[in-house]
Amino acid sequence: MSADQIAAAVEKIGKAANSGIKKQMTWKPSCKAGTAKWSYDGVCADPVVFGTMLGLSGPPTWKMHKMPIDDFEKRIGRLDASARYSHLYLKGQHVNIRWSDSGEFKFSGTYGA
């Protein structure tokens, strides 16, 4: 793949993940404590594209990784949503990232007000 094709694929997957995560960020009673959970499953056939999206120097060499929320939002985009009379944001220390060699990945974490 050329650099332009990789950049286009990274942008497409990043936008899909951002949108999918935001759709899950709805008001729940656990939002008050910042413990509402979200999870996004996706597929990326090319490990180089996935690695590039996460700012790695190549394909991921791990099955599970914990990325700080600030770094994750730099890669995927700002993640916040409005609900009732408050704003919802990602909470906790990190986002869990799972990667399998078949190209399936999963992002998960917590959010709250």
Side-chain angles (χ1 to χ4, degrees):
M1 288 183 100
S2 72
D4 290 341
Q5 290 173 320
I6 290 174
V10 165
E11 185 177 348
K12 181 179 177 185
I13 293 170
K15 282 184 179 180
N18 187 304
S19 174
I21 294 166
K22 281 184 178 180
K23 285 179 185 173
Q24 294 181 46
M25 293 174 73
T26 58
W27 180 258
K28 298 175 187 171
S30 57
C31 287
K32 289 181 186 176
T35 58
K37 297 194 182 307
W38 62 267
S39 155
Y40 178 80
D41 295 312
V43 176
C44 179
D46 190 346
V48 174
V49 171
F50 188 73
T52 303
M53 179 178 68
L54 296 178
L56 306 173
S57 57
T61 56
W62 36 259
K63 298 286 183 204
M64 185 174 165
H65 181 68
K66 295 183 182 212
M67 180 178 276
I69 289 176
D70 290 339
D71 291 347
F72 186 74
E73 286 189 327
K74 285 178 194 169
R75 313 273 184 236
I76 304 296
R78 182 97 176 115
L79 292 164
D80 59 354
S82 295
R84 294 194 179 184
Y85 302 107
S86 61
H87 289 283
L88 304 175
Y89 304 96
L90 293 187
K91 296 285 186 174
Q93 301 291 319
H94 56 267
V95 171
N96 296 313
I97 302 170
R98 285 190 170 85
W99 166 259
S100 72
D101 293 330
S102 62
E104 298 171 358
F105 64 89
K106 181 175 190 169
F107 299 141
S108 60
T110 57
Y111 70 95

